[in-house]
Amino acid sequence: MKGVVCACVIFVTACDSTVPIDDSCAGACPQSNIKHLVVIVQENHTFDNHFGRYCTALSGSNPTCTTGPACCEAAPDGLSNLDDVANETWDPDHLSVCEAAEMNGGKMDQYASGTPCSDPRNVATSDPLLMAPYWDFAAKGALADRYFQPVIGQSSANDMFMMRAAFVFDDNTEAPQGAVGVTCTLSGNVQATYTGTTIGDLLRQAKIPWTYYAGGYAAQQAASLQGTCAPATDDCHFAFYPCTFDPSDVPVEYFATSRDNPAEMADDSKFFTDVGSGALPAVSFVRAIGWESEHPGQLTTLSKGVAYVTSVVAAVEASRYRDSTLILFTYDEGGGYFDHVAPAASPDAHPYGTRVPMVAIGKFAKTNAVSHVVMEHSSIVRFIEWNFLGGTTGQLATRDAQVSNIGSLLDPAMTGVTVPEN
């Protein structure tokens, strides 16, 4: 039954046989007290964008302490202010060739000038008043200051690492073949489908319930049945992105086993319904429709994105799932914005891009903590394998076998066991 996790007392990996087991749950017990994982994915901002003014250590000082804003580096002085107006009117070029040129071999010095893609508006830190809720998440939870986008370039290429933990294609060059809404948003892209095993496939095989909740999906699904695209709404006035569902932002849509599977693909409104009704699956991915995703340009504001994320967190914290859920909040990629920290070496031939925010939220997160462990989207896959799939990582035999786990963000006193950092 969807949303049910084995009723068991966790002693490392063993279930207490005296506790009745719900026969409808065929999946294994989690390795830790974390029975539910919610991954919130926003779009196209770097660590320096959103946390460059939260952190207070001198830029380039490489602090080793791990408690509070003094233990992560501030962005360099003199960056412009990224507010709602700036966000809705400028979208940096974030093609892989542009990002690579601006990163300049790790010098991180050609975002404002020096390449055809450079622009002074690429070098900015977000308005502290707008970021206050995110900074509050970091103060109450754990912030990763070495969490990199998995590959240089645009969203779709990076999103694939949350399902495959591997490079699949470059930039936004491919759209998911036959997916709901594909002809409404990406008519110029080559359509493709993939058959490689995903973390969703592994969860399904183990009978662990999971769902990808996406904003605008239900409206576009209904419109597609009529052969049309979802219309504009009072909240968003364009009859195209960012007002409509974009399947290229949803990595499950590229794989035949999960594409538009009603058991695993749903509108984000259903997330709130499932939380309230007790039907939350073990693993949830939550992604806003474009106008609530913070994606720069096209009249998309930061404040609407912040409101969306805080609503997701608030729903969990007000529910029966509060004490059993870990929330991870991150961004698909940096969007072509400046970040001052040179990317770490990636585990394969596809280099990392800029840092993006990652915050662990809820009772399982360390408090007011900063992790300096190098992580990326494949680290989430590795944690899912470890926690929900029997403690064995690397089951996809991709980066999930090589990257760090997320244990540096978590409190063993709350998880009931030490979640590995590697």
Side-chain angles (χ1 to χ4, degrees):
M1 182 171 65
K2 183 176 180 181
V4 177
V5 177
C6 290
C8 57
V9 176
I10 306 299
F11 293 99
V12 186
T13 60
C15 291
D16 185 345
S17 61
T18 65
V19 179
I21 301 296
D22 186 333
D23 290 335
S24 65
C25 175
C29 294
Q31 296 292 106
S32 73
N33 292 331
I34 300 170
K35 297 180 175 65
H36 300 273
L37 173 68
V38 174
V39 182
I40 306 171
V41 186
Q42 291 288 85
E43 295 195 39
N44 294 40
H45 286 286
T46 64
F47 186 95
D48 270 352
N49 273 166
H50 285 359
F51 289 93
R53 295 195 206 179
Y54 171 80
C55 299
T56 60
L58 184 66
S59 178
S61 62
N62 196 28
T64 58
C65 59
T66 58
T67 303
C71 295
C72 54
E73 295 180 25
D77 293 335
L79 277 62
S80 62
N81 188 56
L82 182 62
D83 58 13
D84 274 348
V85 173
N87 196 79
E88 67 183 356
T89 56
W90 176 246
D91 183 8
D93 194 326
H94 46 291
L95 286 165
S96 56
V97 292
C98 286
E99 290 190 357
E102 291 168 327
M103 289 163 57
N104 194 21
K107 295 179 181 178
M108 316 302 283
D109 62 355
Q110 297 198 32
Y111 285 86
S113 62
T115 81
C117 311
S118 305
D119 190 284
R121 291 171 290 183
N122 297 346
V123 185
T125 50
S126 301
D127 191 305
L129 291 176
L130 294 176
M131 291 296 106
Y134 290 172
W135 293 6
D136 187 54
F137 291 152
K140 293 178 180 178
L143 175 67
D145 75 346
R146 292 296 185 274
Y147 189 98
F148 295 93
Q149 65 181 73
V151 66
I152 300 171
Q154 293 176 308
S155 294
S156 298
N158 284 282
D159 290 327
M160 301 301 277
F161 285 82
M162 287 198 181
M163 284 290 114
R164 275 288 292 148
F167 179 86
V168 179
F169 55 79
D170 193 36
D171 287 323
N172 293 343
T173 55
E174 297 185 8
Q177 186 172 25
V180 164
V182 69
T183 59
C184 295
T185 58
L186 294 165
S187 59
N189 287 27
V190 174
Q191 292 192 30
T193 189
Y194 292 95
T195 58
T197 303
T198 69
I199 190 63
D201 293 329
L202 296 181
L203 289 168
R204 186 186 314 110
Q205 291 162 13
K207 299 183 180 179
I208 305 296
W210 69 280
T211 300
Y212 202 110
Y213 299 94
Y217 181 68
Q220 184 55 62
Q221 192 174 40
S224 293
L225 291 174
Q226 304 300 318
T228 64
C229 298
T233 68
D234 290 340
D235 293 316
C236 195
H237 308 298
F238 303 117
F240 49 84
Y241 186 88
C243 304
T244 58
F245 169 72
D246 186 348
S248 72
D249 282 334
V250 180
V252 302
E253 294 286 75
Y254 287 89
F255 296 91
T257 52
S258 54
R259 182 174 53 247
D260 298 322
N261 180 346
E264 297 164 352
M265 184 71 204
D267 191 78
D268 64 343
S269 62
K270 192 172 186 296
F271 171 79
F272 297 95
T273 300
D274 288 349
V275 169
S277 66
L280 187 69
V283 177
S284 303
F285 296 88
V286 182
R287 189 164 192 137
I289 194 170
W291 62 271
E292 293 182 301
S293 74
E294 302 169 48
H295 190 299
Q298 296 174 298
L299 304 183
T300 299
T301 64
L302 294 175
S303 58
K304 289 177 181 176
V306 173
Y308 181 84
V309 172
T310 53
S311 73
V312 173
V313 174
V316 175
E317 291 187 337
S319 76
R320 70 191 74 187
Y321 296 108
R322 176 187 179 97
D323 292 330
S324 64
T325 300
L326 171 66
I327 300 172
L328 297 177
F329 164 43
T330 190
Y331 287 72
D332 56 1
E333 47 112 348
Y337 280 111
F338 167 77
D339 190 88
H340 79 277
V341 173
S346 77
D348 56 31
H350 301 284
Y352 285 156
T354 55
R355 293 183 304 167
V356 294
M358 159 63 91
V359 187
I361 301 168
K363 66 174 285 186
F364 299 113
K366 292 178 179 177
T367 302
N368 196 28
V370 178
S371 168
H372 307 304
V373 175
V374 173
M375 292 179 277
E376 47 123 314
H377 297 340
S378 304
S379 298
I380 297 175
V381 174
R382 187 175 178 91
F383 172 71
I384 293 170
E385 291 174 336
W386 181 86
N387 194 60
F388 296 102
L389 296 172
T392 301
T393 56
Q395 295 182 43
L396 295 177
T398 53
R399 281 191 186 175
D400 60 324
Q402 302 166 295
V403 298
S404 296
N405 207 322
I406 66 168
S408 59
L409 298 170
L410 306 180
D411 182 355
M414 294 291 103
T415 60
V417 62
T418 299
V419 178
E421 292 188 8
N422 297 309

